[in-house]
Every structure is written in C-alpha cells, then in structure tokens.
Amino acid sequence: MDGRNETQDIRSAEENQTDQHENPPPPPNPIPSHPLSSPAAAAGGGGGGGSSSSASTTMARIVSRALPFASRSPQLGAALIRSAPMRCPPLPAAAPTASLLTWRGFTPSSEPSRSGPPPPPLPMPPFAGFLAGIRSFRRGRRGQSAARRAQPQDPIPSPPPAPKESEIELYARIGIDDDTPEDPEVLNIVEILKLNVPMAMKIALDGLLDSNYKTRDTSISDVGRYDKVEVSVLLCNDNFIQNLNKEWRGEDSCIEMLSMSQYIPDLDVPILMLGDIVISVETAARQAEERGHTLLDEVRILAVRGILRLLGFDHQTSDESAVEMEKEEQLILKSLRWKGKNLAKSVLDSGKRHTETSDGQVTSGLKRAGSLRFYRPKFKYIFCDMDGTLLNSKSQVTARNAEALREARSRGVNIVIATGKARPAVIDALNMVDLSGRTGIVSESSPGIFLQGLLVYGLQGREIYKRNLDQEVCREALLYSLEQKVPLVAFSQDRCFSMYDDPLVDSLHYVYHEPKAEIVSSIDQLLGTAEIQKVLFLETPEGISSALRPFWEKAIEGRARMVQAQPDMLELVPPATSKGNGVKILLDHLCISPDEVMAIGDGENDIEMLQIASLGVALANGSEKTKAVANIIGATNDEDGVAQAIYDYAF
C-alpha cells in the first residue's frame, strides 16, 4: 500500500513524542450500549463509499471505544496503547467502574485531548454498533516525507499551515447470535475482538487515502468528514449464516463470512455506517483445524476480510481484484502480527466443503462428528431404542453412533435408553464403546426404560415402576416351550431363566448381550424363584407367523399381550403395558414435557414412544407401521441412522 512505509518512517518520532505524555487524560465517560437486532434487517450489500474531505489533513489522535454486547458481555476494562499498531506497551489494569475500552494514540501536537464526554450517539440502525475511533493522518505524513526526499536544487517548500485537530470515533459492536451456545473459547474471543477490530479498522481506513488499487470501489475514500464510523461483528453458527445467506443473497449454502454494507451515498450525516460482518464460528473452527492455527486466528482473518469488503474490495470480480484484496489483507495481518493465509487458497478450501453424492445431490456436510460445538440443542432429551436402532445388524454400537451420543451429551442433551432389553444387556453393549457407567449414558444409577416398559428406573437409578406377567400365563408358556421344543427365556429384572440349554438361548447372551440364562429343572422351581416380567420365544419368522402367533392370540385371552420387536422373537408381556407407557411414567417422574423430547426407534413396540415425543424418528429398516407414524424416516441402523438423526434434527 502506498504510504505505509512512510507511516513506519516516522514511528520513532511519534513514540518519542508519546513518551512526553506521562499523565494521559482519563477515558471518556461511558457511552450506553444499544439493543442489537437481527442483521437480516440491515440495508445495503458489498462495500460502500464516501467522499474525501479537508479534515484528512489533520494530525493523528486515535480514540476508540468498544461498547459491550447488549445481552451477553463480561465487564470491560480500560487499556492505553500507542497509535503505532506494531508496538503496544502492557495494558494497565481496568478501574472497577470502567465500562469502556479506551484506545488513545498521541501526536506531535501539544494540544490536549478533549476531556468532556462525547456527544450522545445518533439512533442506531439495525445491528449497528461497535464504537471505535480513528484519525486520518496520512496526508500530513506525506508532506513530511516528501520534504525529507527533496533534492538540494529543489526550492524549499513553504511551511504547511498548523494542522487543525479533529477526532473521528469509530463505533463497533461484537455480538454472538442467541442460538449459538455460550462456548468459553468464543466468549473469550469476543473480548479480544473488542480491541482487535478497532486496530484492524484503523489500519484499513488509514490506508484508503493513498491507495492506488484499481479494482476497489472508491466510494469510501476518506472518512475525514465524519464524526463517527460504525461497524458490527456478529459471531454465529452455520445454521444462522446459511439462513442469512439464503435471505440476503438467495444462495442456500453455508459460508464462513458475510459482509453487508449499510453505507448510503450522498447522505449528509456526521456518521458513516459501514455495515455488518457475520462470521460462522463453526466453519471458522473447522477451517482453523484444517489450516493448523487457532480459532482466534481464523476469526481475526475473517474480520479483516469483512472490513475490506465493506471498504470496497471484492476478490470475486476478477483475478486482479483477488490479488489486490489479498495484498491489502496481508498488509493488515502483517502489521498486527496476526497469522494469515493466502486468500485465494482460503477461497479454494472453502469451496471444497460442498460435495456431490452419487445421486447428484449436493451436501455441505455441516453437521458431523465434532461439529455440534456451536449448535444449541432443540431437545433436552433423546429417547433411543436399542435393537434395530442404536445397535446395527451385528448387535453393535458403531463408532459414529457412539460419537454422536457423546457430542449430544457434551451439548447438554440427556440420552435415555428405552428398550425391550434388560438393563445389564444395555450396559454391556454400551460398555464396548465406553458409554456405560457413571460417566456414560447408562448405568445402574441412571434413568432408563427396560423390558418393554415393564421396568422403569428414575433419578439415581431408583426403580419407579415394575409390572409382572400373570403367573398362569408364565406357566402355560413354559409348558409350551417344553412340549413344542420352542426355546423360551423368562426375564426377571437383571436375570434370565430357561428350561433347557439351546443355541438360540445362548445367542441371547453372546449376540444380544442379555444376561446368560440360568437353567432350572422345573416350572415350579422357576416360578418360585423369581417374579417374571416377560417371556420371549425364539423361533424362525415363519414359525412365529404360522404357529406361535395364532396359538397365543387365542391362549392369552386378554391376560397378556404379544410384542414382536425382532422377526425371530415373540414376547408375552402384561396387558395395558408398553414402552410408550414407560416413557410417560418417566416423563412424569422427571417433570419433562414431551416438547423437550426426541425419540428414535424402529419396531412396532416403539410406535407409542414416537407418537409421544415432539419429534419421532423411525429408521428406514423399521416396520411399516412404525414409519407410518413417525415425523421423520431416517437412515437404517446399518447406516448409522441414530447418528444421522442426531446431527440432522437434534440441533
């Protein structure tokens, strides 16, 4: 940039003059913050402009104030730094009553700074709001530099008139979208940006006076005629910026940053409204990881890029414009000693985020493992089935499903298992992916719904509901198993019983994680040993449909009901009970509204649960009756259907 070396040439002279001011004036009085509204309501687009003014000949005295974000901001402190951006002495501690961040530079002028409070700000446009200050001083320095370069034969230039001091304040506001969770790192970045954005704006605005870029819109060339300059920065997640991009530009895609100008040419007002910069911290976090630097580094880069867009740079119009914008961006980043990356390479990387599937559909891959950090949960609870849902066809929890559950938990979502399995079976299956125990999603001290809703555990794992199968139905079922040689397992809380050894009985333990069945010698011994909640027949799907179902429909006569969660299993349970009934009992116990619940299942025993929940997701491998009542039909259990449902619908 023209004139930047001249700025550096006189830096030492400025610093010597600065050292003479041992008692700088106190910060100005606090300026009240203003409400922040949605950026979608802002007017303008791209970069705006303004005309030059004789005020640009004034000397530099930079004053910037950072207003706190209206709804979410820790108390600000005060800082005193020099006008040279490359050299900043340690910042003194803030006074307890300080509410403004003051950035004050010094000039060779001996005129003291204004000590009175600043005038009240004009009414703020939608989403306008960060106050910072800047003074134009490049032209005065050009004259000094030219005098030093004069040859001996050149006439001695007449001394310039004494400069008239003026101040320009630059207002800016750093905010976070309400739908973005309060991530500690992001909140820290907000505080840092309150100082960083004015520093970047000072350099960018200062460079407008003598720049000779051919592709920049020069509508805004000199801010000397303004009393104030305004800009705003909003941090958000991908959902927010994608919706805004669709509304603002008609493009239904997620991008890392949007800049929206509020500048109105020929408007004779003392305030220059540059516009709004919206940054997706989720995309920024992903790009930071890919590029090997921190989230703060990436947000700084995007903030600088947004400022340049508002000042008339546009890398998308031509190759030359991309080169010029990249040059100015690198100059600003280098001046501030911030990490940067080639703009063209950054644009290329961002274009790779959208991929095309085999069926021609374009997917952005926004919500995936590790990407939920900046999404606010839509639900407080997810009720999830096991067999055919969380477990794949090999009765295993996949790594992607496990990571999705961890991500959801890390965002404050409670996972509740609602299954026909016994509790030990669920603990064993989830233990294989480190999701059981007190730090997991299921344990002996966590809420859960087991044995088709016949056993419900509440807070601290306390039993709040149990229903037993009629003993005569149990006796008839055990006798049928012995006479027809159809394997049967009787469930009693955390134990299983059977009348004889059989490979299918063993498969319940070795494949489905159920407690290993205890073999008893007689029906009376079994019924005298434990209370039975349900019995389960193991048979082929053909055998169940042709023999078992017709027989037991007549045999139970309202004393029990049949449940078929798996094609090769038929269960007898007490009447007027279901997994959905267990869900209702647990919701009442936990004081949870169905509006706070998302449910995922596949079998007919999940129908009532999906109907109760605010959002019911049936996996594609589920029964037709289940899919008919679901709000959403997801992927299959062998395609990580639970993970996809969480990423797509829980946030």
Side-chain angles (χ1 to χ4, degrees), residues 237-267:
N237 61 27
D238 280 345
N239 274 348
F240 185 96
I241 204 167
Q242 181 167 353
N243 293 334
L244 186 60
N245 192 32
K246 183 178 181 180
E247 178 180 350
W248 186 262
R249 303 167 66 203
E251 298 180 6
D252 190 10
S253 61
C254 177
I255 58 177
E256 66 270 22
M257 183 270 296
L258 271 175
S259 59
M260 299 172 290
S261 176
Q262 293 184 18
Y263 172 69
I264 302 176
D266 303 322
L267 184 64

Side-chain angles (χ1 to χ4, degrees), residues 18-34:
T18 301
D19 293 338
Q20 299 175 10
H21 294 261
E22 297 178 356
N23 299 306
N29 294 333
I31 299 176
S33 60
H34 298 271

Side-chain angles (χ1 to χ4, degrees), residues 93-150:
T97 58
S99 62
L100 298 176
L101 179 64
T102 301
W103 178 26
R104 178 174 292 117
F106 298 94
T107 73
S109 171
S110 60
E111 181 180 344
S113 63
R114 296 182 300 182
S115 59
L122 296 176
M124 306 279 284
F127 191 54
F130 176 53
L131 282 158
I134 186 168
R135 279 239 12 224
S136 173
F137 52 85
R138 184 173 301 276
R139 290 188 179 178
R141 290 181 173 177
R142 277 188 65 194
Q144 296 173 13
S145 179
R148 288 196 299 269
R149 291 196 304 266

Side-chain angles (χ1 to χ4, degrees), residues 52-85:
S52 61
S53 170
S54 61
S56 63
T57 62
T58 59
M59 302 297 289
R61 187 155 60 82
I62 303 157
V63 179
S64 91
R65 304 178 180 90
L67 287 182
F69 180 49
S71 62
R72 195 193 296 182
S73 176
Q75 186 177 8
L76 293 175
L80 175 64
I81 71 172
R82 293 184 172 139
S83 58

Side-chain angles (χ1 to χ4, degrees), residues 271-318:
I271 184 169
L272 168 61
M273 294 178 289
L274 285 180
D276 310 322
I277 300 168
V278 184
I279 297 172
S280 170
V281 287
E282 189 200 2
T283 297
R286 189 162 56 245
Q287 293 179 170
E289 182 178 358
E290 293 170 355
R291 297 167 186 175
H293 53 231
T294 67
L295 176 58
L296 174 61
D297 293 330
E298 188 67 23
V299 171
R300 281 169 164 171
I301 294 169
L302 295 175
V304 169
R305 197 165 297 164
I307 291 169
L308 293 179
R309 290 293 301 270
L310 294 177
L311 293 177
F313 290 89
D314 189 351
H315 65 276
Q316 296 177 331
T317 57
S318 66

Side-chain angles (χ1 to χ4, degrees), residues 345-474:
K345 182 65 166 59
S346 298
V347 173
L348 180 63
D349 289 346
S350 65
K352 294 178 180 178
R353 290 199 304 275
H354 298 80
T355 58
E356 188 170 315
T357 61
S358 57
D359 58 359
Q361 294 182 337
V362 175
T363 175
S364 59
L366 300 179
K367 297 181 185 176
R368 58 187 182 186
S371 74
L372 300 183
R373 176 179 172 192
F374 304 113
Y375 284 88
R376 183 172 300 222
K378 296 177 182 177
F379 307 97
K380 291 184 178 179
Y381 287 82
I382 295 177
F383 283 69
C384 187
D385 174 48
M386 289 292 290
D387 289 314
T389 304
L390 183 58
L391 300 178
N392 61 13
S393 58
K394 296 180 181 179
S395 200
Q396 298 172 341
V397 180
T398 64
R400 186 165 183 254
N401 278 347
E403 188 157 9
L405 294 175
R406 291 190 187 94
E407 286 274 2
R409 284 202 68 207
S410 72
R411 301 311 313 159
V413 180
N414 298 283
I415 310 296
V416 177
I417 298 298
T419 180
K421 288 181 171 297
R423 182 168 63 178
V426 177
I427 293 175
D428 183 65
L430 291 173
N431 184 56
M432 295 184 175
V433 288
D434 296 324
L435 282 174
S436 66
R438 290 189 175 274
T439 59
I441 65 174
V442 65
S443 70
E444 294 182 355
S445 60
S446 63
I449 301 164
F450 305 97
L451 300 181
Q452 306 295 3
L454 302 174
L455 272 174
V456 181
Y457 298 98
L459 296 173
Q460 286 78 50
R462 177 170 58 88
E463 180 185 303
I464 60 174
Y465 180 81
K466 182 174 73 172
R467 182 79 180 274
N468 298 328
L469 185 62
D470 182 83
Q471 273 212 345
E472 286 305 311
V473 174
C474 290

